[in-house]
Amino acid sequence: MTKVNIPFIYSPIYSQLELPERHRYPIEKYRLLHDWAVRRGAQKDQWQRPVTLTWEQVAQTHCSSYIEKLKTNNFEKAEWRRIGFPWSEQLLTRSLTSAGGTAQALQMALSSSIAIHFSGGYHHAHHDWGSGFCLINDLAIACHQLLLQYPHLKIAVLDTDVHQGDGTASIFQNDPRVFTCSIHGEKNFPFSKSISDLDIPLPKGTDDSSYLNALNQALKIVESDVKPDVILYDAGVDIYTKDELGHFHISLNGLFQRDMTVLSFCRQNDIPVAAVIGGGYQRNLERLVRGHAQLLRAAYYVYTENNFELRSVVRSSEDEV
Ligand SMILES: [Zn+2]
């Protein structure tokens, strides 16, 4: 098979956000994952800088009065508490850039088979309210932007973050162009769930084999009933056993197997895929980044069969559990 040069979409702005000390959000992980990829041989021509979205583009997905409140910081305290970030211009620019990155990844996937965005997965943002570190829903925005260009595409959003993709599900509830699938912790945030086209809630303590069974079940439905033209994949690593918010028992190898399963499925069925790194919450950033790096390893394995140099580089013992 021919070598695919996998586009990596990244901006240093992703890790540039001032947060209160001990804030739960691991803002450094984006830069650290970028550094990991550079150390492991990512080529200069793989890196793509995202284009920052305009508020007019965001208005294709979110309600204009909500956008106005975001821009002017005109929220009740409780509304900001639900989002979980302190307001700043930096936060707005970061959100617009990150959403632009997901839109760019989805667009690029059409021509390059795969694209990976080193941010994204802000799936708790609804049409007119934000929640759980999510101001605007990059997944939904990316779909809407692509559909403006190609109105007849069928898109599947495959969300394997441990938290349900409630915002994405509610935004596309009555939109047959986008199939939403969420595999998530049944008793985890958000405690009031939306209805996706396909929800697979799993119990606390879910292990590798039951997780992979559920994933394969979901992929079978995607293959037989949905037949998407493109997949937007949220590869959140908060399913990992050491995640502080996850409550699943998925090993590091289990994470790798999940990403291998999804990407192999896409390649075998010739479906372009854009992946975002999604959630992941550990104070131990090195371990957290190793979790996210499994997506890059899997992408190299599935899409660069003839590239032995990269294969050996990504097989270093650092990646073992
Ligand atoms: Zn999550």
Side-chain angles (χ1 to χ4, degrees), residues 121 123-124 161-164 189 234 236-238 243 245 278-281:
H123 56 178
H124 300 307
D161 188 284
V162 82
H163 304 104
Q164 196 213 21
F189 182 89
D234 183 338
V237 298
D238 38 18
D243 192 273
L245 303 180
Y281 304 92

Side-chain angles (χ1 to χ4, degrees), residues 18-308:
E18 277 159 50
L19 293 173
E21 217 177 307
R22 300 289 296 165
H23 192 278
R24 140 79 46 228
Y25 198 81
I27 196 72
E28 285 293 322
K29 74 177 185 181
Y30 307 95
R31 180 178 59 77
L32 295 171
L33 184 64
H34 163 269
D35 293 353
W36 185 97
V38 169
R39 277 204 311 279
R40 300 309 185 84
Q43 304 297 301
K44 277 207 175 99
D45 62 355
Q46 280 180 264
W47 298 104
Q48 305 287 332
R49 277 290 175 97
V51 177
T52 303
L53 290 184
T54 63
W55 287 111
E56 288 69 35
Q57 287 171 304
V58 175
Q60 300 286 335
T61 301
H62 291 283
C63 133
S64 53
S65 62
Y66 173 64
I67 291 175
E68 209 43 46
K69 285 204 288 187
L70 275 178
K71 282 161 71 176
T72 54
N73 187 15
N74 191 17
F75 279 122
E76 300 295 326
K77 264 194 178 156
E79 289 176 291
W80 269 122
R81 256 202 312 276
R82 187 158 66 177
I83 289 176
F85 283 136
W87 186 92
S88 63
E89 289 284 353
Q90 212 180 19
L91 176 66
L92 297 185
T93 310
R94 183 186 179 280
S95 302
L96 290 171
T97 309
S98 178
T102 300
Q104 201 164 321
L106 191 58
Q107 167 92 52
M108 290 191 84
L110 295 183
S111 52
S112 59
S113 303
I114 179 169
I116 296 181
H117 183 210
F118 281 47
S119 178
Y122 294 94
H123 56 178
H124 300 307
H126 290 245
H127 177 64
D128 55 358
W129 53 279
S131 167
F133 306 135
C134 306
L135 281 76
I136 54 175
N137 191 317
D138 60 300
L139 303 168
I141 292 170
C143 293
H144 281 140
Q145 292 302 307
L146 197 69
L147 286 165
L148 278 179
Q149 224 181 323
Y150 306 102
H152 302 297
L153 279 189
K154 176 91 186 181
I155 307 173
V157 179
L158 176 61
D159 191 333
T160 65
D161 188 284
V162 82
H163 304 104
Q164 196 213 21
D166 58 334
T168 326
S170 70
I171 289 169
F172 292 118
Q173 200 155 21
N174 298 310
D175 191 338
R177 300 172 301 174
V178 179
F179 180 87
T180 55
C181 169
S182 178
I183 307 172
H184 53 263
E186 182 180 21
K187 294 207 165 77
N188 203 331
F189 182 89
F191 296 102
S192 167
K193 308 270 193 284
S194 298
I195 299 169
S196 313
D197 293 307
L198 175 62
D199 280 304
I200 305 191
L202 297 171
K204 286 185 179 181
T206 291
D207 63 9
D208 289 8
S209 66
S210 37
Y211 187 88
L212 293 170
N213 277 341
L215 175 61
N216 280 309
Q217 206 187 313
L219 290 174
K220 259 191 205 134
I221 294 170
V222 170
E223 186 183 5
S224 59
D225 299 359
V226 187
K227 301 183 186 10
D229 299 304
V230 57
I231 288 181
L232 181 51
Y233 172 42
D234 183 338
V237 298
D238 38 18
I239 61 167
Y240 181 46
T241 185
K242 294 206 163 63
D243 192 273
E244 287 145 22
L245 303 180
H247 311 300
F248 278 180
H249 289 164
I250 308 295
S251 68
L252 191 63
N253 185 50
L255 276 183
F256 179 61
Q257 293 307 330
R258 175 198 62 174
D259 295 335
M260 284 294 285
T261 303
V262 173
L263 299 184
S264 304
F265 170 85
C266 293
R267 186 143 211 211
Q268 276 157 21
N269 289 284
D270 210 11
I271 304 171
V273 58
V276 302
I277 67 168
Y281 304 92
Q282 294 177 62
R283 298 277 180 210
N284 183 333
L285 289 176
E286 200 184 320
R287 207 167 56 196
L288 174 58
V289 167
R290 205 174 302 152
H292 283 300
Q294 302 311 307
L295 173 66
L296 309 185
R297 290 183 68 209
Y300 279 140
Y301 265 80
V302 176
Y303 288 89
T304 63
E305 289 93 335
N306 292 334
N307 193 330
F308 295 110

